[in-house]
Amino acid sequence: MTAAATASQPITPDLRRWIVEQAGAGVAAPALIQAMRRSGWNEDVAIAAVEQVLREHLQEHAARQAQPAGVPVPEPALGDSPLFLDAGDRQVQVLMRMEQPRIVLLGGLLSPEECEALIAAARPRMARSLTVATATGGDEVNDDRTSDGMFFQRGENEIVQRLEERIARLVRWPVENGEGLQVLHYRPGAEYKPHYDYFDPAEPGTATITRRGGQRVATLVIYLNDPIKGGGTNFPDVSLEVAPCRGNAVFFSYDRPHPGTRTLHGGAPVIEGEKWIATKWLREREFK
Ligand code: PD2
Ligand code: ZN
């Protein structure tokens, strides 16, 4: 069965998820097809869609199993499903968690006053954002990333230091393994197209980039203000979009530099208002 044959009734992400969930819960294929027929699907198309979704799901599962063992990664202490995490000087809410990809949505990582203070400290130093060019190991302007940004040095001032210590405690990862905090500003129309935060091992510049601290293994995107429309952080592999709410943060980790981590993510275009975030990237080892 090809995508063309189901073109009149496309396999949406919701349908795909429903088929996988039902099959995982033990519902047999004929019952799935019956249910689809009842909601208006042509029988042949329903059979083909179920077959295609389950085949692709099994292939993805097999591909994940075949991957090499990953490295240890930062991880909040979520073992007994706490509603709050102790980040030392602040209690941080756990608003949502997902296992695969590993994503945790945190509420109130920063106070409104801390968000304002970070924006004020960053504002005079903003310049067009660069991305790391893995082909060379240098930085470059990239059309996929139309924000302005700046980096703080690690521990550069009191608020940066306080936030770094809070994050280290929250995700149980040494402060020294963190890159300097980056602040980004998106105006209407600005976005960050979907990408992986790890460095592609196939690119020639990656060996140079990872000499300092190894691979990136986790990211924290911290929202410093509330845009009016747009600007969510999306994860296309799992059809998830995180709303950018001031003081909240989305954490995600990746134990290998591989798309099988399903950590493809992007910053959706800002439609109205503006968006300020701080990004913290964490490395495997000390980032000197
Ligand atoms: O601004 C975002 O939501 C965003 C999305 C994807 C930020 C980053 N990646 C990043 O800074 O890596
Ligand atoms: Zn990113």
Side-chain angles (χ1 to χ4, degrees), residues 44-64:
D44 288 347
V45 178
I47 291 170
V50 168
E51 204 180 272
Q52 180 182 334
V53 168
L54 293 181
R55 182 170 13 86
E56 285 171 0
H57 177 68
L58 290 174
Q59 279 165 357
E60 280 164 22
H61 182 73
R64 271 203 297 281

PDB file of all heavy atoms in Angstrom, residues 44-64:
ATOM      1  N   ASP A  44     -11.221  -1.271   1.787  1.00  0.00           N
ATOM      2  CA  ASP A  44      -9.884  -1.535   1.232  1.00  0.00           C
ATOM      3  C   ASP A  44      -8.870  -0.511   1.725  1.00  0.00           C
ATOM      4  O   ASP A  44      -7.729  -0.838   2.046  1.00  0.00           O
ATOM      5  CB  ASP A  44      -9.923  -1.497  -0.306  1.00  0.00           C
ATOM      6  CG  ASP A  44     -10.641  -2.724  -0.856  1.00  0.00           C
ATOM      7  OD1 ASP A  44     -10.859  -3.669  -0.062  1.00  0.00           O
ATOM      8  OD2 ASP A  44     -11.004  -2.705  -2.043  1.00  0.00           O
ATOM      9  N   VAL A  45      -9.328   0.730   1.778  1.00  0.00           N
ATOM     10  CA  VAL A  45      -8.408   1.804   2.208  1.00  0.00           C
ATOM     11  C   VAL A  45      -8.076   1.623   3.690  1.00  0.00           C
ATOM     12  O   VAL A  45      -6.930   1.795   4.114  1.00  0.00           O
ATOM     13  CB  VAL A  45      -9.028   3.192   1.915  1.00  0.00           C
ATOM     14  CG1 VAL A  45      -8.110   4.296   2.390  1.00  0.00           C
ATOM     15  CG2 VAL A  45      -9.295   3.349   0.423  1.00  0.00           C
ATOM     16  N   ALA A  46      -9.083   1.229   4.491  1.00  0.00           N
ATOM     17  CA  ALA A  46      -8.847   1.016   5.928  1.00  0.00           C
ATOM     18  C   ALA A  46      -7.854  -0.128   6.138  1.00  0.00           C
ATOM     19  O   ALA A  46      -6.932  -0.020   6.959  1.00  0.00           O
ATOM     20  CB  ALA A  46     -10.175   0.717   6.633  1.00  0.00           C
ATOM     21  N   ILE A  47      -8.017  -1.213   5.383  1.00  0.00           N
ATOM     22  CA  ILE A  47      -7.097  -2.363   5.517  1.00  0.00           C
ATOM     23  C   ILE A  47      -5.673  -1.903   5.215  1.00  0.00           C
ATOM     24  O   ILE A  47      -4.726  -2.167   5.964  1.00  0.00           O
ATOM     25  CB  ILE A  47      -7.494  -3.510   4.547  1.00  0.00           C
ATOM     26  CG1 ILE A  47      -8.823  -4.129   5.002  1.00  0.00           C
ATOM     27  CG2 ILE A  47      -6.401  -4.570   4.459  1.00  0.00           C
ATOM     28  CD1 ILE A  47      -9.435  -5.103   3.992  1.00  0.00           C
ATOM     29  N   ALA A  48      -5.552  -1.167   4.111  1.00  0.00           N
ATOM     30  CA  ALA A  48      -4.218  -0.725   3.691  1.00  0.00           C
ATOM     31  C   ALA A  48      -3.606   0.226   4.715  1.00  0.00           C
ATOM     32  O   ALA A  48      -2.411   0.160   5.012  1.00  0.00           O
ATOM     33  CB  ALA A  48      -4.309  -0.054   2.328  1.00  0.00           C
ATOM     34  N   ALA A  49      -4.451   1.110   5.281  1.00  0.00           N
ATOM     35  CA  ALA A  49      -3.933   2.086   6.251  1.00  0.00           C
ATOM     36  C   ALA A  49      -3.442   1.377   7.515  1.00  0.00           C
ATOM     37  O   ALA A  49      -2.360   1.671   8.030  1.00  0.00           O
ATOM     38  CB  ALA A  49      -5.016   3.103   6.590  1.00  0.00           C
ATOM     39  N   VAL A  50      -4.224   0.408   8.011  1.00  0.00           N
ATOM     40  CA  VAL A  50      -3.825  -0.333   9.229  1.00  0.00           C
ATOM     41  C   VAL A  50      -2.514  -1.080   8.958  1.00  0.00           C
ATOM     42  O   VAL A  50      -1.577  -1.048   9.777  1.00  0.00           O
ATOM     43  CB  VAL A  50      -4.946  -1.298   9.679  1.00  0.00           C
ATOM     44  CG1 VAL A  50      -4.445  -2.263  10.743  1.00  0.00           C
ATOM     45  CG2 VAL A  50      -6.135  -0.507  10.200  1.00  0.00           C
ATOM     46  N   GLU A  51      -2.469  -1.705   7.786  1.00  0.00           N
ATOM     47  CA  GLU A  51      -1.265  -2.468   7.426  1.00  0.00           C
ATOM     48  C   GLU A  51      -0.031  -1.557   7.386  1.00  0.00           C
ATOM     49  O   GLU A  51       1.005  -1.853   7.968  1.00  0.00           O
ATOM     50  CB  GLU A  51      -1.504  -3.059   6.029  1.00  0.00           C
ATOM     51  CG  GLU A  51      -0.713  -4.277   5.681  1.00  0.00           C
ATOM     52  CD  GLU A  51      -1.110  -4.692   4.267  1.00  0.00           C
ATOM     53  OE1 GLU A  51      -2.088  -5.446   4.163  1.00  0.00           O
ATOM     54  OE2 GLU A  51      -0.483  -4.226   3.302  1.00  0.00           O
ATOM     55  N   GLN A  52      -0.216  -0.405   6.736  1.00  0.00           N
ATOM     56  CA  GLN A  52       0.922   0.524   6.581  1.00  0.00           C
ATOM     57  C   GLN A  52       1.387   1.061   7.937  1.00  0.00           C
ATOM     58  O   GLN A  52       2.577   1.055   8.245  1.00  0.00           O
ATOM     59  CB  GLN A  52       0.507   1.688   5.671  1.00  0.00           C
ATOM     60  CG  GLN A  52       1.633   2.700   5.462  1.00  0.00           C
ATOM     61  CD  GLN A  52       1.177   3.880   4.597  1.00  0.00           C
ATOM     62  OE1 GLN A  52       0.266   3.772   3.800  1.00  0.00           O
ATOM     63  NE2 GLN A  52       1.832   5.003   4.766  1.00  0.00           N
ATOM     64  N   VAL A  53       0.437   1.487   8.757  1.00  0.00           N
ATOM     65  CA  VAL A  53       0.819   2.079  10.054  1.00  0.00           C
ATOM     66  C   VAL A  53       1.523   1.037  10.914  1.00  0.00           C
ATOM     67  O   VAL A  53       2.574   1.307  11.511  1.00  0.00           O
ATOM     68  CB  VAL A  53      -0.425   2.651  10.781  1.00  0.00           C
ATOM     69  CG1 VAL A  53      -0.096   2.995  12.229  1.00  0.00           C
ATOM     70  CG2 VAL A  53      -0.941   3.878  10.049  1.00  0.00           C
ATOM     71  N   LEU A  54       0.991  -0.187  10.965  1.00  0.00           N
ATOM     72  CA  LEU A  54       1.601  -1.201  11.843  1.00  0.00           C
ATOM     73  C   LEU A  54       2.970  -1.628  11.310  1.00  0.00           C
ATOM     74  O   LEU A  54       3.903  -1.833  12.087  1.00  0.00           O
ATOM     75  CB  LEU A  54       0.664  -2.398  12.017  1.00  0.00           C
ATOM     76  CG  LEU A  54      -0.626  -2.059  12.787  1.00  0.00           C
ATOM     77  CD1 LEU A  54      -1.492  -3.291  12.948  1.00  0.00           C
ATOM     78  CD2 LEU A  54      -0.314  -1.449  14.160  1.00  0.00           C
ATOM     79  N   ARG A  55       3.095  -1.714   9.977  1.00  0.00           N
ATOM     80  CA  ARG A  55       4.404  -2.088   9.413  1.00  0.00           C
ATOM     81  C   ARG A  55       5.444  -1.008   9.754  1.00  0.00           C
ATOM     82  O   ARG A  55       6.521  -1.310  10.243  1.00  0.00           O
ATOM     83  CB  ARG A  55       4.294  -2.264   7.892  1.00  0.00           C
ATOM     84  CG  ARG A  55       5.600  -2.693   7.273  1.00  0.00           C
ATOM     85  CD  ARG A  55       5.521  -3.127   5.805  1.00  0.00           C
ATOM     86  NE  ARG A  55       4.286  -2.812   5.113  1.00  0.00           N
ATOM     87  CZ  ARG A  55       4.034  -1.646   4.504  1.00  0.00           C
ATOM     88  NH1 ARG A  55       4.935  -0.695   4.513  1.00  0.00           N
ATOM     89  NH2 ARG A  55       2.889  -1.455   3.878  1.00  0.00           N
ATOM     90  N   GLU A  56       5.075   0.260   9.561  1.00  0.00           N
ATOM     91  CA  GLU A  56       6.027   1.338   9.857  1.00  0.00           C
ATOM     92  C   GLU A  56       6.371   1.375  11.348  1.00  0.00           C
ATOM     93  O   GLU A  56       7.510   1.604  11.729  1.00  0.00           O
ATOM     94  CB  GLU A  56       5.452   2.686   9.408  1.00  0.00           C
ATOM     95  CG  GLU A  56       5.503   2.851   7.911  1.00  0.00           C
ATOM     96  CD  GLU A  56       4.747   4.094   7.410  1.00  0.00           C
ATOM     97  OE1 GLU A  56       4.164   4.842   8.243  1.00  0.00           O
ATOM     98  OE2 GLU A  56       4.739   4.286   6.192  1.00  0.00           O
ATOM     99  N   HIS A  57       5.354   1.134  12.176  1.00  0.00           N
ATOM    100  CA  HIS A  57       5.593   1.153  13.623  1.00  0.00           C
ATOM    101  C   HIS A  57       6.592   0.057  14.017  1.00  0.00           C
ATOM    102  O   HIS A  57       7.521   0.299  14.786  1.00  0.00           O
ATOM    103  CB  HIS A  57       4.270   0.969  14.362  1.00  0.00           C
ATOM    104  CG  HIS A  57       4.421   0.915  15.842  1.00  0.00           C
ATOM    105  ND1 HIS A  57       4.811   2.018  16.584  1.00  0.00           N
ATOM    106  CD2 HIS A  57       4.284  -0.107  16.728  1.00  0.00           C
ATOM    107  CE1 HIS A  57       4.885   1.671  17.858  1.00  0.00           C
ATOM    108  NE2 HIS A  57       4.573   0.395  17.975  1.00  0.00           N
ATOM    109  N   LEU A  58       6.413  -1.129  13.464  1.00  0.00           N
ATOM    110  CA  LEU A  58       7.331  -2.242  13.780  1.00  0.00           C
ATOM    111  C   LEU A  58       8.741  -1.942  13.273  1.00  0.00           C
ATOM    112  O   LEU A  58       9.736  -2.226  13.945  1.00  0.00           O
ATOM    113  CB  LEU A  58       6.814  -3.556  13.173  1.00  0.00           C
ATOM    114  CG  LEU A  58       5.568  -4.107  13.839  1.00  0.00           C
ATOM    115  CD1 LEU A  58       5.049  -5.328  13.095  1.00  0.00           C
ATOM    116  CD2 LEU A  58       5.834  -4.462  15.309  1.00  0.00           C
ATOM    117  N   GLN A  59       8.820  -1.326  12.092  1.00  0.00           N
ATOM    118  CA  GLN A  59      10.145  -0.975  11.557  1.00  0.00           C
ATOM    119  C   GLN A  59      10.859   0.040  12.466  1.00  0.00           C
ATOM    120  O   GLN A  59      12.032  -0.099  12.772  1.00  0.00           O
ATOM    121  CB  GLN A  59      10.021  -0.381  10.143  1.00  0.00           C
ATOM    122  CG  GLN A  59       9.883  -1.447   9.069  1.00  0.00           C
ATOM    123  CD  GLN A  59       9.400  -0.868   7.743  1.00  0.00           C
ATOM    124  OE1 GLN A  59       9.107   0.319   7.628  1.00  0.00           O
ATOM    125  NE2 GLN A  59       9.306  -1.711   6.738  1.00  0.00           N
ATOM    126  N   GLU A  60      10.097   1.074  12.912  1.00  0.00           N
ATOM    127  CA  GLU A  60      10.700   2.085  13.800  1.00  0.00           C
ATOM    128  C   GLU A  60      11.162   1.438  15.098  1.00  0.00           C
ATOM    129  O   GLU A  60      12.234   1.738  15.616  1.00  0.00           O
ATOM    130  CB  GLU A  60       9.675   3.180  14.129  1.00  0.00           C
ATOM    131  CG  GLU A  60       9.511   4.204  13.037  1.00  0.00           C
ATOM    132  CD  GLU A  60       8.232   5.035  13.215  1.00  0.00           C
ATOM    133  OE1 GLU A  60       7.711   5.122  14.342  1.00  0.00           O
ATOM    134  OE2 GLU A  60       7.736   5.555  12.198  1.00  0.00           O
ATOM    135  N   HIS A  61      10.320   0.539  15.623  1.00  0.00           N
ATOM    136  CA  HIS A  61      10.654  -0.134  16.878  1.00  0.00           C
ATOM    137  C   HIS A  61      11.937  -0.954  16.705  1.00  0.00           C
ATOM    138  O   HIS A  61      12.858  -0.885  17.525  1.00  0.00           O
ATOM    139  CB  HIS A  61       9.489  -1.038  17.292  1.00  0.00           C
ATOM    140  CG  HIS A  61       9.712  -1.736  18.596  1.00  0.00           C
ATOM    141  ND1 HIS A  61       9.645  -1.068  19.788  1.00  0.00           N
ATOM    142  CD2 HIS A  61      10.028  -3.016  18.881  1.00  0.00           C
ATOM    143  CE1 HIS A  61       9.902  -1.922  20.768  1.00  0.00           C
ATOM    144  NE2 HIS A  61      10.132  -3.104  20.241  1.00  0.00           N
ATOM    145  N   ALA A  62      12.020  -1.695  15.590  1.00  0.00           N
ATOM    146  CA  ALA A  62      13.199  -2.534  15.329  1.00  0.00           C
ATOM    147  C   ALA A  62      14.442  -1.657  15.176  1.00  0.00           C
ATOM    148  O   ALA A  62      15.513  -1.983  15.686  1.00  0.00           O
ATOM    149  CB  ALA A  62      12.975  -3.365  14.068  1.00  0.00           C
ATOM    150  N   ALA A  63      14.273  -0.517  14.497  1.00  0.00           N
ATOM    151  CA  ALA A  63      15.429   0.370  14.286  1.00  0.00           C
ATOM    152  C   ALA A  63      15.935   0.897  15.629  1.00  0.00           C
ATOM    153  O   ALA A  63      17.140   0.996  15.859  1.00  0.00           O
ATOM    154  CB  ALA A  63      15.039   1.522  13.371  1.00  0.00           C
ATOM    155  N   ARG A  64      14.983   1.216  16.529  1.00  0.00           N
ATOM    156  CA  ARG A  64      15.403   1.724  17.848  1.00  0.00           C
ATOM    157  C   ARG A  64      16.154   0.652  18.634  1.00  0.00           C
ATOM    158  O   ARG A  64      17.161   0.920  19.274  1.00  0.00           O
ATOM    159  CB  ARG A  64      14.184   2.179  18.653  1.00  0.00           C
ATOM    160  CG  ARG A  64      13.810   3.627  18.409  1.00  0.00           C
ATOM    161  CD  ARG A  64      13.002   4.205  19.562  1.00  0.00           C
ATOM    162  NE  ARG A  64      11.732   3.556  19.770  1.00  0.00           N
ATOM    163  CZ  ARG A  64      10.657   3.792  19.036  1.00  0.00           C
ATOM    164  NH1 ARG A  64      10.697   4.661  18.058  1.00  0.00           N
ATOM    165  NH2 ARG A  64       9.530   3.157  19.285  1.00  0.00           N
TER     166      ARG A  64
END
